[in-house]
Amino acid sequence: MTTDRRSPRPRLSDVAEVAGVSMKTVSNVIGGYAPVSEPTRSAVLAAVAQVGYRPNLSARNLARGRSGVIVLAVPRLELPYFASLAGSVVEAAAEHGWVVLMHQTGGDLEGERRALHDDYPQRIDGMILSSRWLEVEDLAARSSPTPLVLLGDHRLAAPVPHVGIDNRAAGREAARHLIAGGCRRIAVLGAPASGSSHDRTDGVIDALREAGVPVIPQLLRPIDANTGEEGERATTRMLEEIDQPPEAIFAVTDWVAMGAIRALHRHGLDVPGDVAVMGFDDIPYARSVTPSLTTIAPDRATVARLAVDTLARQVSGRAPAQTPTDAATDSETETDSETETYAPFELVVRESTRALD
């Protein structure tokens, strides 16, 4: 006969005793049921680690009437920005006891509509969807009550929480950097078709006009996709159609910027000696390409945390309008409306614009 000498599994009461708080407080921290001060939250999490407590997520979700699964829908996971964002969402969701089901929309309207209408083999607690094409009518036609948070550059005048960065302000900062370096002929890869609007491009144009720098229509180049191939194609066509190369190129994503650099090199132009180039997103490759890429770096970890926390508030029954004040401190986030939450961003200067120093 053998005796099981394993130590008993740590309990919620063990965590409460070590942290010096009530079991209800421990439960609030672990489950995200109610706001808890940061010192108390830190003490509880330290106690959780110390005693080795692991909540029974299946039992907890069953008791709360939840599945313990949320969906993250993005255009394509092979795109570096979304791969990195997905990792941050998984980490943030784990703090709420959620597992993340990944869904690829393909980056087109029909794919986004399929994601929106909850065509999943299992019940989910909520969805975080990065959209480029959905319109207000698509959201209005949605019959599912599943909580939803939107991500990305595409903003809609709809009562659905949206988390992102202030892309127009980021575009202005990018252009100001190029202008401060003496650039006047500034091209934009990813400019929208005539008559439409794009926050990043609009921010660049704001800064050009602010500085009295001409906006040259031939240098505003639309692209069909946010890929390196499109960046190379658009840059090649631009160089073939204009008499004088631009002094700088702003690309709406790093991937597009890398394609632009390849096209410039193929035309015998040095980066940044002849043409400065900067991108947007600060994907991991931006640090390791030659030259390393100047870019706008969104705080992806904060974007992910704000999105997951906003979703958690909906799941727990609190109104989306509480998102701006509850999701983060004023230093971490700004808001544009009751449903819009901005995470921070920063300008990261690297070799591709160093000639401007």
Side-chain angles (χ1 to χ4, degrees), residues 8-21:
R9 180 172 177 165
R11 298 170 299 176
L12 208 65
S13 57
D14 299 324
V15 177
E17 181 178 353
V18 171
V21 298

Side-chain angles (χ1 to χ4, degrees), residues 199-237:
D199 283 347
R200 295 180 187 181
T201 301
D202 290 345
V204 171
I205 292 173
D206 288 345
L208 293 175
R209 289 174 174 163
E210 168 187 276
V213 175
V215 178
I216 304 173
Q218 296 94 327
L219 299 183
L220 303 181
R221 295 282 167 159
I223 55 177
D224 294 330
N226 289 322
T227 64
E229 291 82 2
E230 272 296 295
E232 182 176 359
R233 181 197 62 77
T235 303
T236 297
R237 180 173 295 179

Side-chain angles (χ1 to χ4, degrees), residues 31 45 51 106 137 144 150 161 186 190 213 235 262 274 300 326 336:
L45 293 179
V51 305
E137 294 77 14
S144 170
L150 297 177
I186 298 177
V213 175
T235 303
R262 175 175 167 81
D274 296 317
R300 282 187 289 272
D326 289 354
D336 184 54

Side-chain angles (χ1 to χ4, degrees), residues 61 64-70 101 120-126:
N61 286 323
R64 295 157 69 187
R66 302 182 188 176
S67 68
V69 177
I70 63 171
L101 176 65
Y120 302 104
Q122 65 189 96
R123 181 181 167 216
I124 62 173
D125 292 332

Side-chain angles (χ1 to χ4, degrees), residues 39-57:
T40 299
R41 182 175 180 273
S42 297
V44 169
L45 293 179
V48 167
Q50 180 179 332
V51 305
Y53 175 75
R54 297 186 65 183
N56 186 330
L57 298 181

